[in-house]
Amino acid sequence: MSNEEKNWGDEEQIPDTAKNQPEGAAAQGDADSWDNFDWTEGFCSWEPQSKEDEPLPTQGSFFAEPPEPPQPAAGKRQPRTLPESLLAALLYVAGVLVISLVLATVGWRWANDLLALDKTELTVSFTVSEGDSIADVADNLKEEGLIEYKFLFQLFAAITNKTGKITTGTYELNTEMDYSALLNNISSTSVYRETVTVTIPEGYTVEEAFQLLEDSGVCSVEDLTASAESDTFDYSFLEDVDRTGTALLEGYLFPDTYEFYKDADAENVIKRLLSNFAGQMSEVLSEETLSYDLDDVIIIASIIEKETTGGSDDRSSIASVIYNRLENPDYDGIGGYLQMDSTVQYLLEERKEDLTQPDLEIDSPYNTYLYAGLPEGPICNPGMDSIEAALNPSDTDYYYFMLGDDGENHFFTESYSFNTFKAAQTGTTEDDTGDE
Protein backbone atom coordinates (compact mmCIF):
# COMPACT_ATOMS: atom_id res chain seq x y z
CA MET A 1 0.00 0.00 0.00
CA SER A 2 1.33 3.33 -0.84
CA ASN A 3 1.75 6.09 1.59
CA GLU A 4 -1.19 7.89 -0.04
CA GLU A 5 -3.41 4.93 0.44
CA LYS A 6 -2.24 4.56 3.96
CA ASN A 7 -2.95 8.09 4.80
CA TRP A 8 -6.50 7.80 3.51
CA GLY A 9 -7.02 4.77 5.58
CA ASP A 10 -5.75 6.31 8.80
CA GLU A 11 -7.92 9.42 8.55
CA GLU A 12 -11.37 10.21 7.26
CA GLN A 13 -11.10 11.35 3.71
CA ILE A 14 -11.95 14.97 3.09
CA PRO A 15 -12.04 15.86 -0.55
CA ASP A 16 -9.82 18.77 -1.22
CA THR A 17 -12.19 20.61 -3.53
CA ALA A 18 -13.73 23.97 -3.02
CA LYS A 19 -17.14 22.81 -4.06
CA ASN A 20 -17.38 20.40 -1.17
CA GLN A 21 -16.04 22.74 1.43
CA PRO A 22 -18.35 24.61 3.78
CA GLU A 23 -19.21 28.20 2.97
CA GLY A 24 -16.50 30.50 4.17
CA ALA A 25 -13.94 27.73 4.20
CA ALA A 26 -12.91 27.84 0.54
CA ALA A 27 -10.72 30.84 1.11
CA GLN A 28 -8.73 29.13 3.79
CA GLY A 29 -5.53 27.29 2.91
CA ASP A 30 -4.50 23.76 3.53
CA ALA A 31 -3.25 24.75 6.91
CA ASP A 32 -6.86 24.99 8.24
CA SER A 33 -7.60 22.19 10.65
CA TRP A 34 -10.70 20.52 11.94
CA ASP A 35 -10.25 22.33 15.19
CA ASN A 36 -10.94 25.57 13.44
CA PHE A 37 -14.00 24.35 11.49
CA ASP A 38 -17.23 26.25 12.27
CA TRP A 39 -19.99 23.70 12.79
CA THR A 40 -22.65 26.37 12.71
CA GLU A 41 -22.14 26.63 9.00
CA GLY A 42 -21.75 24.19 6.23
CA PHE A 43 -23.46 21.47 4.40
CA CYS A 44 -24.04 19.36 7.47
CA SER A 45 -25.68 22.05 9.62
CA TRP A 46 -29.10 21.11 11.11
CA GLU A 47 -30.03 24.74 11.73
CA PRO A 48 -32.18 26.46 9.07
CA GLN A 49 -30.22 28.82 7.01
CA SER A 50 -30.91 32.51 7.35
CA LYS A 51 -32.28 34.40 4.40
CA GLU A 52 -29.66 36.28 2.53
CA ASP A 53 -31.33 39.64 3.30
CA GLU A 54 -31.56 38.94 7.04
CA PRO A 55 -28.13 39.08 8.83
CA LEU A 56 -27.51 36.77 11.72
CA PRO A 57 -27.89 38.35 15.11
CA THR A 58 -24.66 39.71 16.47
CA GLN A 59 -23.24 39.01 19.86
CA GLY A 60 -25.33 40.51 22.59
CA SER A 61 -28.38 40.89 20.36
CA PHE A 62 -30.29 38.40 22.45
CA PHE A 63 -30.43 40.93 25.21
CA ALA A 64 -31.54 43.85 23.00
CA GLU A 65 -35.02 45.39 23.26
CA PRO A 66 -37.64 43.75 21.06
CA PRO A 67 -38.14 45.37 17.69
CA GLU A 68 -41.09 47.72 16.98
CA PRO A 69 -44.20 45.88 15.81
CA PRO A 70 -44.80 46.26 12.04
CA GLN A 71 -47.02 49.18 11.04
CA PRO A 72 -50.07 48.43 8.92
CA ALA A 73 -49.82 49.19 5.24
CA ALA A 74 -51.37 52.42 4.04
CA GLY A 75 -55.10 52.12 3.27
CA LYS A 76 -55.70 49.02 5.37
CA ARG A 77 -58.20 49.10 8.23
CA GLN A 78 -56.84 48.46 11.68
CA PRO A 79 -58.89 45.97 13.62
CA ARG A 80 -61.19 47.73 16.06
CA THR A 81 -61.53 46.92 19.59
CA LEU A 82 -64.69 45.14 20.66
CA PRO A 83 -66.44 48.16 22.22
CA GLU A 84 -65.92 50.33 19.10
CA SER A 85 -67.19 47.63 16.72
CA LEU A 86 -70.27 46.97 18.81
CA LEU A 87 -71.19 50.65 18.97
CA ALA A 88 -70.76 51.07 15.24
CA ALA A 89 -72.93 48.02 14.61
CA LEU A 90 -75.65 49.34 16.89
CA LEU A 91 -75.56 52.73 15.20
CA TYR A 92 -75.72 51.07 11.76
CA VAL A 93 -78.67 48.90 12.73
CA ALA A 94 -80.44 51.89 14.26
CA GLY A 95 -79.87 53.93 11.08
CA VAL A 96 -81.22 51.16 8.89
CA LEU A 97 -84.28 50.83 11.10
CA VAL A 98 -84.96 54.58 11.03
CA ILE A 99 -84.58 54.77 7.25
CA SER A 100 -86.74 51.68 6.80
CA LEU A 101 -89.38 53.18 9.08
CA VAL A 102 -89.36 56.46 7.14
CA LEU A 103 -89.57 54.68 3.80
CA ALA A 104 -92.29 52.39 5.05
CA THR A 105 -94.29 55.37 6.35
CA VAL A 106 -93.88 57.35 3.12
CA GLY A 107 -94.57 54.29 1.00
CA TRP A 108 -97.72 53.53 2.96
CA ARG A 109 -98.94 57.09 2.51
CA TRP A 110 -98.24 56.93 -1.22
CA ALA A 111 -100.01 53.60 -1.44
CA ASN A 112 -103.02 55.00 0.45
CA ASP A 113 -103.24 57.92 -1.95
CA LEU A 114 -102.70 55.85 -5.08
CA LEU A 115 -105.16 53.14 -4.08
CA ALA A 116 -107.67 55.47 -2.37
CA LEU A 117 -107.36 53.78 1.03
CA ASP A 118 -108.55 55.27 4.31
CA LYS A 119 -109.75 58.51 2.74
CA THR A 120 -112.47 60.73 4.13
CA GLU A 121 -115.66 60.32 2.10
CA LEU A 122 -116.03 63.21 -0.32
CA THR A 123 -117.84 63.79 -3.63
CA VAL A 124 -117.10 66.83 -5.79
CA SER A 125 -118.05 68.27 -9.15
CA PHE A 126 -114.73 68.42 -10.97
CA THR A 127 -114.17 70.42 -14.16
CA VAL A 128 -111.46 69.92 -16.76
CA SER A 129 -111.22 73.12 -18.76
CA GLU A 130 -110.02 73.57 -22.31
CA GLY A 131 -106.21 73.65 -22.41
CA ASP A 132 -105.67 72.13 -18.95
CA SER A 133 -102.40 70.19 -18.68
CA ILE A 134 -101.89 67.12 -16.51
CA ALA A 135 -100.18 69.41 -14.00
CA ASP A 136 -103.27 71.64 -13.92
CA VAL A 137 -105.49 68.60 -13.41
CA ALA A 138 -103.27 67.35 -10.57
CA ASP A 139 -103.33 70.79 -8.92
CA ASN A 140 -107.12 70.91 -9.09
CA LEU A 141 -107.53 67.34 -7.82
CA LYS A 142 -105.36 68.16 -4.81
CA GLU A 143 -107.22 71.41 -4.21
CA GLU A 144 -110.52 69.53 -4.24
CA GLY A 145 -109.13 66.98 -1.76
CA LEU A 146 -109.23 64.02 -4.13
CA ILE A 147 -105.47 63.33 -4.11
CA GLU A 148 -102.58 64.18 -1.81
CA TYR A 149 -99.45 63.76 -3.93
CA LYS A 150 -99.51 65.65 -7.22
CA PHE A 151 -96.13 64.39 -8.47
CA LEU A 152 -97.18 60.79 -7.83
CA PHE A 153 -100.43 61.29 -9.75
CA GLN A 154 -98.59 62.82 -12.72
CA LEU A 155 -96.04 60.00 -12.67
CA PHE A 156 -98.82 57.39 -12.61
CA ALA A 157 -100.64 59.11 -15.48
CA ALA A 158 -97.45 59.14 -17.57
CA ILE A 159 -96.58 55.51 -16.83
CA THR A 160 -100.10 54.27 -17.62
CA ASN A 161 -100.28 56.44 -20.77
CA LYS A 162 -103.62 57.99 -19.76
CA THR A 163 -102.63 61.65 -19.97
CA GLY A 164 -103.87 62.02 -23.54
CA LYS A 165 -107.30 60.58 -22.73
CA ILE A 166 -108.31 63.43 -20.42
CA THR A 167 -111.34 65.24 -21.88
CA THR A 168 -112.77 68.68 -21.27
CA GLY A 169 -115.92 68.46 -19.18
CA THR A 170 -117.42 68.36 -15.71
CA TYR A 171 -117.38 65.07 -13.79
CA GLU A 172 -118.69 63.75 -10.51
CA LEU A 173 -115.68 62.33 -8.68
CA ASN A 174 -115.19 61.00 -5.15
CA THR A 175 -112.45 59.87 -2.79
CA GLU A 176 -113.30 56.22 -3.33
CA MET A 177 -111.69 56.46 -6.77
CA ASP A 178 -108.03 55.49 -7.00
CA TYR A 179 -105.63 57.13 -9.45
CA SER A 180 -106.68 54.81 -12.27
CA ALA A 181 -110.38 55.46 -11.69
CA LEU A 182 -109.85 59.21 -11.51
CA LEU A 183 -108.05 59.20 -14.86
CA ASN A 184 -110.64 56.92 -16.46
CA ASN A 185 -113.48 59.06 -15.18
CA ILE A 186 -112.21 62.34 -16.64
CA SER A 187 -112.14 60.93 -20.14
CA SER A 188 -114.67 61.01 -22.97
CA THR A 189 -115.94 57.53 -22.07
CA SER A 190 -116.62 58.37 -18.44
CA VAL A 191 -119.98 57.38 -17.02
CA TYR A 192 -119.40 59.97 -14.29
CA ARG A 193 -119.37 62.90 -16.68
CA GLU A 194 -122.03 65.35 -15.53
CA THR A 195 -124.90 66.12 -17.87
CA VAL A 196 -127.48 68.85 -17.92
CA THR A 197 -130.91 68.98 -19.54
CA VAL A 198 -131.57 72.11 -21.56
CA THR A 199 -134.82 73.08 -23.26
CA ILE A 200 -134.41 75.64 -26.03
CA PRO A 201 -137.80 77.35 -26.42
CA GLU A 202 -139.39 77.91 -29.80
CA GLY A 203 -138.67 81.40 -31.09
CA TYR A 204 -135.31 81.82 -29.35
CA THR A 205 -132.69 83.61 -31.43
CA VAL A 206 -129.16 82.21 -31.78
CA GLU A 207 -127.99 84.79 -29.26
CA GLU A 208 -130.63 83.77 -26.74
CA ALA A 209 -129.93 80.06 -27.29
CA PHE A 210 -126.21 80.56 -26.77
CA GLN A 211 -126.83 82.48 -23.56
CA LEU A 212 -129.13 79.74 -22.29
CA LEU A 213 -126.48 77.10 -22.99
CA GLU A 214 -123.91 79.11 -21.08
CA ASP A 215 -126.27 79.66 -18.14
CA SER A 216 -126.89 75.91 -18.06
CA GLY A 217 -123.17 75.15 -17.87
CA VAL A 218 -122.94 73.53 -21.31
CA CYS A 219 -120.40 75.92 -22.82
CA SER A 220 -119.74 79.63 -23.01
CA VAL A 221 -121.25 82.16 -25.40
CA GLU A 222 -117.72 83.08 -26.41
CA ASP A 223 -116.85 79.51 -27.43
CA LEU A 224 -120.16 79.01 -29.23
CA THR A 225 -119.79 82.27 -31.14
CA ALA A 226 -116.19 81.42 -32.08
CA SER A 227 -117.31 78.04 -33.34
CA ALA A 228 -120.13 79.58 -35.37
CA GLU A 229 -117.66 81.94 -37.03
CA SER A 230 -114.81 79.53 -37.70
CA ASP A 231 -116.05 75.93 -37.88
CA THR A 232 -117.51 74.27 -40.95
CA PHE A 233 -120.96 72.75 -40.69
CA ASP A 234 -121.44 70.35 -43.55
CA TYR A 235 -125.22 70.11 -43.90
CA SER A 236 -127.06 70.13 -47.18
CA PHE A 237 -129.68 72.64 -45.98
CA LEU A 238 -126.91 75.20 -45.38
CA GLU A 239 -125.18 74.81 -48.75
CA ASP A 240 -127.15 77.59 -50.50
CA VAL A 241 -127.26 79.97 -47.54
CA ASP A 242 -125.10 83.05 -48.17
CA ARG A 243 -124.99 84.25 -44.58
CA THR A 244 -122.04 83.59 -42.30
CA GLY A 245 -121.32 83.27 -38.59
CA THR A 246 -124.29 83.25 -36.24
CA ALA A 247 -126.53 84.56 -39.04
CA LEU A 248 -125.89 81.29 -40.89
CA LEU A 249 -127.19 79.31 -37.92
CA GLU A 250 -130.23 81.49 -37.26
CA GLY A 251 -133.36 79.46 -37.91
CA TYR A 252 -131.58 76.10 -37.87
CA LEU A 253 -130.84 75.50 -34.18
CA PHE A 254 -133.87 73.35 -33.67
CA PRO A 255 -135.85 74.15 -30.48
CA ASP A 256 -136.11 71.01 -28.38
CA THR A 257 -135.10 69.43 -25.08
CA TYR A 258 -131.50 68.22 -25.06
CA GLU A 259 -129.17 66.51 -22.66
CA PHE A 260 -125.65 67.87 -22.92
CA TYR A 261 -122.43 67.18 -21.10
CA LYS A 262 -121.42 70.08 -18.91
CA ASP A 263 -118.46 72.01 -20.30
CA ALA A 264 -118.97 70.36 -23.66
CA ASP A 265 -117.19 71.18 -26.90
CA ALA A 266 -118.94 74.12 -28.59
CA GLU A 267 -118.71 72.71 -32.10
CA ASN A 268 -120.26 69.44 -30.99
CA VAL A 269 -123.11 71.29 -29.28
CA ILE A 270 -123.95 73.28 -32.42
CA LYS A 271 -123.75 70.15 -34.56
CA ARG A 272 -126.13 68.42 -32.18
CA LEU A 273 -128.72 71.15 -32.72
CA LEU A 274 -128.23 71.19 -36.49
CA SER A 275 -128.43 67.40 -36.70
CA ASN A 276 -131.75 67.49 -34.86
CA PHE A 277 -133.03 70.03 -37.39
CA ALA A 278 -131.92 67.76 -40.24
CA GLY A 279 -133.67 64.78 -38.68
CA GLN A 280 -136.89 66.68 -38.06
CA MET A 281 -137.00 68.14 -41.57
CA SER A 282 -136.31 64.82 -43.26
CA GLU A 283 -139.57 63.52 -41.82
CA VAL A 284 -141.57 66.60 -42.78
CA LEU A 285 -140.16 67.16 -46.25
CA SER A 286 -140.57 63.54 -47.27
CA GLU A 287 -144.29 64.21 -47.60
CA GLU A 288 -144.15 67.81 -48.77
CA THR A 289 -143.28 69.57 -52.00
CA LEU A 290 -141.54 72.87 -51.51
CA SER A 291 -142.78 75.76 -53.61
CA TYR A 292 -140.14 77.98 -51.97
CA ASP A 293 -136.51 77.34 -51.11
CA LEU A 294 -136.06 75.75 -47.71
CA ASP A 295 -134.27 78.86 -46.45
CA ASP A 296 -137.28 80.98 -47.48
CA VAL A 297 -139.60 78.55 -45.73
CA ILE A 298 -137.55 78.86 -42.53
CA ILE A 299 -137.57 82.66 -42.80
CA ILE A 300 -141.37 82.61 -43.13
CA ALA A 301 -141.63 80.11 -40.25
CA SER A 302 -139.48 82.37 -38.05
CA ILE A 303 -141.83 85.31 -38.66
CA ILE A 304 -144.83 83.12 -37.88
CA GLU A 305 -143.13 82.02 -34.65
CA LYS A 306 -142.68 85.59 -33.49
CA GLU A 307 -146.16 86.72 -34.51
CA THR A 308 -148.26 83.82 -33.27
CA THR A 309 -150.26 83.71 -30.08
CA GLY A 310 -149.87 79.94 -29.99
CA GLY A 311 -152.79 78.43 -31.84
CA SER A 312 -152.34 76.19 -34.88
CA ASP A 313 -155.03 78.02 -36.85
CA ASP A 314 -153.38 81.25 -35.84
CA ARG A 315 -150.06 80.10 -37.34
CA SER A 316 -151.51 78.93 -40.62
CA SER A 317 -153.53 82.17 -40.96
CA ILE A 318 -150.39 84.28 -40.42
CA ALA A 319 -148.68 82.13 -43.06
CA SER A 320 -151.50 82.92 -45.49
CA VAL A 321 -151.08 86.69 -44.93
CA ILE A 322 -147.33 86.43 -45.69
CA TYR A 323 -147.81 84.39 -48.86
CA ASN A 324 -150.68 86.58 -50.07
CA ARG A 325 -148.54 89.72 -49.71
CA LEU A 326 -145.55 88.10 -51.41
CA GLU A 327 -147.53 86.67 -54.31
CA ASN A 328 -149.93 89.59 -54.84
CA PRO A 329 -147.80 92.71 -54.40
CA ASP A 330 -150.25 94.94 -56.30
CA TYR A 331 -153.19 94.19 -54.06
CA ASP A 332 -154.49 97.25 -52.23
CA GLY A 333 -151.24 99.10 -52.84
CA ILE A 334 -149.25 96.76 -50.58
CA GLY A 335 -146.33 96.65 -53.01
CA GLY A 336 -144.94 93.38 -51.68
CA TYR A 337 -144.04 94.83 -48.27
CA LEU A 338 -144.71 92.44 -45.40
CA GLN A 339 -144.74 95.21 -42.77
CA MET A 340 -144.12 92.83 -39.87
CA ASP A 341 -143.16 94.40 -36.55
CA SER A 342 -141.28 91.26 -35.55
CA THR A 343 -138.62 91.81 -38.20
CA VAL A 344 -137.92 95.28 -36.79
CA GLN A 345 -137.86 93.96 -33.23
CA TYR A 346 -135.08 91.60 -34.35
CA LEU A 347 -132.88 94.63 -34.99
CA LEU A 348 -133.31 96.06 -31.49
CA GLU A 349 -131.14 95.20 -28.49
CA GLU A 350 -134.29 94.77 -26.39
CA ARG A 351 -137.77 93.95 -27.52
CA LYS A 352 -140.28 96.76 -27.16
CA GLU A 353 -143.98 96.57 -26.47
CA ASP A 354 -144.65 99.23 -29.09
CA LEU A 355 -142.37 100.30 -31.91
CA THR A 356 -141.66 103.97 -32.49
CA GLN A 357 -141.43 105.75 -35.82
CA PRO A 358 -137.60 105.90 -35.62
CA ASP A 359 -137.61 102.12 -35.11
CA LEU A 360 -139.62 101.64 -38.29
CA GLU A 361 -137.06 103.73 -40.18
CA ILE A 362 -134.00 101.59 -39.29
CA ASP A 363 -132.18 100.91 -42.54
CA SER A 364 -131.70 97.17 -42.64
CA PRO A 365 -132.65 94.33 -45.04
CA TYR A 366 -134.47 92.87 -42.04
CA ASN A 367 -136.80 95.90 -41.90
CA THR A 368 -139.86 94.75 -43.83
CA TYR A 369 -141.32 98.24 -43.71
CA LEU A 370 -138.44 99.57 -45.84
CA TYR A 371 -137.58 96.49 -47.92
CA ALA A 372 -140.12 94.51 -49.91
CA GLY A 373 -140.17 90.75 -49.83
CA LEU A 374 -138.67 88.49 -47.19
CA PRO A 375 -136.03 89.74 -44.76
CA GLU A 376 -132.42 88.75 -45.33
CA GLY A 377 -132.65 85.73 -43.03
CA PRO A 378 -134.68 84.08 -40.27
CA ILE A 379 -135.36 86.19 -37.20
CA CYS A 380 -135.43 83.27 -34.75
CA ASN A 381 -135.34 79.50 -34.55
CA PRO A 382 -138.89 78.34 -35.26
CA GLY A 383 -140.48 75.21 -33.89
CA MET A 384 -142.01 72.46 -35.96
CA ASP A 385 -145.55 73.87 -35.69
CA SER A 386 -144.45 77.11 -37.34
CA ILE A 387 -142.42 75.24 -39.97
CA GLU A 388 -145.44 73.11 -40.83
CA ALA A 389 -147.60 76.24 -41.01
CA ALA A 390 -145.10 77.77 -43.43
CA LEU A 391 -145.25 74.59 -45.49
CA ASN A 392 -149.06 74.41 -45.32
CA PRO A 393 -150.60 77.90 -45.11
CA SER A 394 -154.34 78.33 -44.86
CA ASP A 395 -156.12 79.17 -48.07
CA THR A 396 -157.43 82.63 -47.23
CA ASP A 397 -157.72 86.13 -48.67
CA TYR A 398 -156.18 87.72 -45.59
CA TYR A 399 -153.71 90.55 -46.10
CA TYR A 400 -153.80 92.12 -42.67
CA PHE A 401 -153.80 91.05 -39.04
CA MET A 402 -153.37 92.65 -35.64
CA LEU A 403 -153.09 91.53 -32.05
CA GLY A 404 -156.14 92.71 -30.12
CA ASP A 405 -156.56 93.57 -26.49
CA ASP A 406 -158.02 90.11 -25.96
CA GLY A 407 -154.63 88.52 -26.70
CA GLU A 408 -155.71 87.06 -30.02
CA ASN A 409 -154.75 87.92 -33.58
CA HIS A 410 -157.52 89.34 -35.74
CA PHE A 411 -157.35 88.95 -39.55
CA PHE A 412 -158.65 91.22 -42.31
CA THR A 413 -158.97 91.19 -46.07
CA GLU A 414 -159.17 94.96 -46.69
CA SER A 415 -157.27 97.88 -45.27
CA TYR A 416 -160.47 99.67 -44.29
CA SER A 417 -161.57 96.92 -41.89
CA PHE A 418 -158.05 96.65 -40.53
CA ASN A 419 -157.68 100.41 -39.87
CA THR A 420 -161.08 100.58 -38.21
CA PHE A 421 -160.09 97.80 -35.82
CA LYS A 422 -156.75 99.42 -35.17
CA ALA A 423 -158.33 102.77 -34.34
CA ALA A 424 -160.59 101.07 -31.87
CA GLN A 425 -157.65 99.36 -30.21
CA THR A 426 -155.11 102.15 -30.18
CA GLY A 427 -157.04 105.36 -30.88
CA THR A 428 -155.03 105.96 -34.09
CA THR A 429 -155.88 105.79 -37.80
CA GLU A 430 -152.48 104.89 -39.25
CA ASP A 431 -152.65 102.91 -42.45
CA ASP A 432 -151.14 99.67 -43.56
CA THR A 433 -149.34 98.35 -40.50
CA GLY A 434 -149.10 94.63 -40.84
CA ASP A 435 -149.55 93.42 -37.22
CA GLU A 436 -149.88 94.59 -33.70
Side-chain angles (χ1 to χ4, degrees), residues 70-113:
Q71 296 297 321
K76 290 185 178 181
R77 241 184 235 181
Q78 297 186 33
R80 298 178 179 174
T81 61
L82 181 59
E84 292 177 348
S85 299
L86 182 59
L87 179 60
L90 292 174
L91 290 175
Y92 176 78
V93 171
V96 170
L97 290 175
V98 170
I99 293 174
S100 299
L101 180 61
V102 171
L103 292 177
T105 302
V106 173
W108 179 249
R109 290 181 178 178
W110 288 357
N112 278 350
D113 201 45

Side-chain angles (χ1 to χ4, degrees), residues 65-71:
E65 294 183 2
E68 292 289 334
Q71 296 297 321

Side-chain angles (χ1 to χ4, degrees), residues 13 65 74 87-88 108 123 128 185 190 197 201 264 346 363 412:
Q13 297 180 15
E65 294 183 2
L87 179 60
W108 179 249
T123 299
V128 178
N185 290 326
S190 173
T197 300
Y346 183 71
D363 188 4
F412 308 91

Side-chain angles (χ1 to χ4, degrees), residues 319-329 331 396-399:
S320 70
V321 171
I322 295 173
Y323 282 112
N324 286 340
R325 284 182 168 243
L326 291 173
E327 296 173 1
N328 301 288
Y331 178 82
T396 71
D397 57 357
Y398 297 149
Y399 285 85

Side-chain angles (χ1 to χ4, degrees), residues 49 109-110 122 169 243 317 402:
Q49 296 183 5
R109 290 181 178 178
W110 288 357
L122 175 67
R243 301 179 298 276
S317 294
M402 182 177 180

